[in-house]
Amino acid sequence: MVSDPAPAPLLQAVPMAASEAKSEGDSEVPVAVAESEQHEAPPKPGDLLELIVKGRTRDLVIRDLVAEGQAQLRDVQLQYVFAGKAGHEVLRGRPVAFALWSEAQKNWTIAHLEIPRPPVKWKPGRGELPFTVRTPGIEARHVKGTGAERLMFKFSHDGEELKVYGRKFPVFDNTLIKKKRWRQATATARSIVYLPYTSDTLDPHFTSGGRDFLLATARGAIDELRDASVPSEAFPGELLADVIPAEVIATLAVIEQTDDEDFLEKGTDAFDEVLSQYGLKREEAYRYSVSSAKALGPMQFTDRRGHGTYSFVVRSCRGAQLDPNFERGSTRLRNAMKAAVCLLDIELSRMNSEIRAAYRAKPDVLGIFPVAAYNGGPRNVAKLYRALNRMGVQLAELRRAGKLPPGSAVVCPCVWREDGSLVQAVSIPRYNSENSGYIEKYQSILSLFD
């Protein structure tokens, strides 16, 4: 612990955007989530085989580097700094450590940074995130994120860009922070060794592996519901496992973690970045994703002290035997996927008979309705249904998304309808920009899981 009479100037509060990128709110990761890390300890550096082996595929090399990066960080001590005089001191910022690999030198560097605490509201292109580099000789540039799930920087040393293969991030007990018990909060902080998305780890093998992993996990969740003979609420007499396709659940695991602005800028490449995270980290991916509304985990469930969506699903879908603990249940992917299946079925049961009948005939295409409900509840379903009626689109005409021809006058978000022998796009009138964008992402990604 270092006493500092004044806070560093770079860590002063600066004006930031009022709106936030997805999952980049000012909410802390619950300590219970940090304490429940399930990954195995990585091998010690001395136990690793040589990192670069001739003929090995790039994804295997990356896995080795990530494992050693974690090992490098495991025993690193984060450097907490307190500002102010005795009796009136305050924790100045949040220390974060990064494991950096030099391709030229074939060696590791641990870079220490200090970022604001509590997290500031930040959005790309609308102000710089203030931070301080604590490791001499290292240059850093903030790339994205502020929290445990997405905070990422790029680093260089003597003109060489260093690759990021690990990051250590402290999680504090909010009760202690609110009581301004700074020393106790740092003494009991839980540190997460985790690697957010970085272009250094983007690889086609991870993208395809993430797709296969999500589908296999969704099918496993549905198989558990089938073995338990959980009935459907939307379609009495049928099993829940026969109502919601695994492909729809897998798409939600990607949509919930794809930032809207990334999707607008990069298109389906934004999905590849999310899929690569699942391919590289599997069950560990997006466990620490917390939105400003305190939605948690890969499927972004909320709870509101036992009175939110997750607890409602646990009570309403008892046969599914969902984990009743919110922090644990929402961050374990298979359990969260089972909860998502239950929630979609509950939402379908609230829709009118025309939507349910059309959905039963084409659950993938008409999945836009339960997906709209997943994003914003039954009110969004009603708005979407009215919008389609205003457009003169019949539910039976809806089809899978195609490609807009060059120079098309249609502006998406849109839905696709069969018109004679053609499938054409029809723009969705404005009713809820977030939800129509959510539907657009769903239709764009669905074909990736065929």
Side-chain angles (χ1 to χ4, degrees):
M1 303 298 180
V2 180
S3 179
D4 192 340
L10 283 179
L11 289 170
Q12 296 291 333
V14 296
M16 293 290 170
S19 57
E20 299 164 297
K22 186 170 185 63
S23 297
E24 291 302 333
D26 55 2
S27 298
E28 292 275 2
V29 172
V31 174
V33 175
E35 290 175 342
S36 67
E37 286 185 282
Q38 297 297 309
H39 60 74
E40 297 179 0
K44 296 179 179 179
D47 298 334
L48 287 169
L49 298 175
E50 186 178 350
L51 290 175
I52 308 300
V53 180
K54 186 176 181 180
R56 298 193 73 200
T57 58
R58 180 173 178 271
D59 61 309
L60 295 178
V61 173
I62 290 172
R63 285 190 187 277
D64 282 347
L65 286 164
V66 171
E68 187 170 358
Q70 287 186 332
Q72 293 280 335
L73 288 166
R74 194 63 59 183
D75 296 326
V76 167
Q77 297 296 312
L78 296 176
Q79 302 163 4
Y80 298 101
V81 179
F82 296 85
K85 298 179 180 179
H88 299 282
E89 64 183 11
V90 63
L91 177 62
R92 190 178 67 188
R94 187 194 305 266
V96 187
F98 293 82
L100 311 179
W101 172 252
S102 167
E103 288 286 358
Q105 302 297 323
K106 303 299 181 190
N107 61 11
W108 291 94
T109 299
I110 302 300
H112 292 268
L113 270 63
E114 189 174 320
I115 63 172
R117 193 227 55 78
V120 297
K121 293 181 178 180
W122 174 86
K123 199 169 186 178
R126 300 184 186 179
E128 296 182 359
L129 178 75
F131 66 91
T132 303
V133 180
R134 297 295 178 196
T135 304
I138 294 293
E139 296 180 356
R141 176 173 62 84
H142 180 238
V143 177
K144 68 185 303 182
T146 61
E149 180 61 51
R150 286 174 169 79
L151 177 75
M152 183 49 65
F153 288 78
K154 281 190 175 296
F155 297 88
S156 61
H157 175 65
D158 289 341
E160 180 195 0
E161 186 171 305
L162 305 176
K163 296 185 180 297
V164 183
Y165 287 119
R167 191 209 60 194
K168 193 167 192 173
F169 186 100
V171 175
F172 303 115
D173 185 326
N174 265 336
T175 301
L176 296 175
I177 293 294
K178 289 177 181 178
K179 293 180 179 179
K180 299 182 180 181
R181 293 159 65 176
W182 310 111
R183 296 275 177 177
Q184 191 175 348
T186 58
T188 59
R190 303 287 300 189
S191 294
I192 298 170
V193 177
Y194 183 76
L195 182 63
Y197 170 76
T198 165
S199 57
D200 296 333
T201 62
L202 183 61
D203 186 272
H205 286 86
F206 293 142
T207 301
S208 59
R211 181 194 62 217
D212 295 341
F213 166 70
L214 286 177
L215 269 178
T217 306
R219 287 168 179 158
I222 289 173
D223 286 344
E224 288 185 12
L225 294 170
R226 188 183 305 283
D227 291 343
S229 299
V230 181
S232 167
E233 189 171 325
F235 301 97
E238 297 189 41
L239 290 178
L240 176 55
D242 295 323
V243 170
I244 309 296
E247 291 77 7
V248 173
I249 299 301
T251 64
L252 285 175
V254 177
I255 293 169
E256 284 292 341
Q257 301 304 329
T258 303
D259 180 75
D260 291 343
E261 291 192 2
D262 280 351
F263 177 61
L264 289 174
E265 178 186 346
K266 304 174 184 177
T268 56
D269 288 346
F271 299 144
D272 289 345
E273 293 179 3
V274 175
L275 287 169
S276 72
Q277 289 289 84
Y278 284 110
L280 173 62
K281 295 182 290 191
R282 302 175 76 82
E283 289 88 352
E284 194 72 5
Y286 300 109
R287 289 190 71 237
Y288 309 113
S289 180
V290 186
S291 75
S292 56
K294 294 183 171 56
L296 183 61
M299 307 303 289
Q300 289 289 277
F301 274 100
T302 58
D303 197 50
R304 290 200 308 247
R305 298 181 181 178
H307 299 287
T309 303
Y310 186 79
S311 290
F312 166 74
V313 173
V314 170
R315 293 191 301 268
S316 302
C317 199
R318 296 187 183 278
Q321 300 177 347
L322 300 170
D323 191 327
N325 181 280
F326 170 59
E327 286 81 9
R328 190 172 56 229
S330 61
T331 57
R332 293 184 177 174
L333 182 60
R334 181 175 289 202
N335 182 85
M337 282 185 161
K338 284 203 300 181
V341 173
C342 291
L343 178 57
L344 291 181
D345 180 64
I346 292 169
E347 295 289 3
L348 275 166
S349 71
R350 298 171 172 177
M351 299 178 199
N352 67 43
S353 59
E354 182 185 1
I355 295 177
R356 290 203 309 275
Y359 170 85
R360 207 69 193 96
K362 291 184 292 186
D364 54 348
V365 176
L366 273 295
I368 60 175
F369 284 100
V371 162
Y374 193 92
N375 175 246
R379 185 175 299 178
N380 275 348
V381 173
K383 289 180 179 179
L384 175 60
Y385 185 62
R386 287 197 298 269
L388 292 177
N389 284 336
R390 291 200 306 272
M391 296 155 61
V393 176
Q394 302 297 313
L395 299 185
E397 297 174 334
L398 291 172
R399 293 293 182 270
R400 287 275 195 116
K403 289 187 177 181
L404 289 175
S408 173
V410 176
V411 179
C412 290
C414 52
V415 293
W416 296 77
R417 68 187 295 186
E418 187 173 31
D419 187 4
S421 60
L422 299 176
V423 176
Q424 298 181 330
V426 183
S427 294
I428 302 175
R430 284 190 177 181
Y431 73 93
N432 181 315
S433 59
E434 178 189 351
N435 194 246
S436 56
Y438 200 88
I439 293 168
E440 180 75 8
K441 287 193 287 186
Y442 169 76
Q443 294 182 122
S444 300
I445 195 176
L446 190 58
S447 61
L448 297 180
F449 289 97
D450 287 340

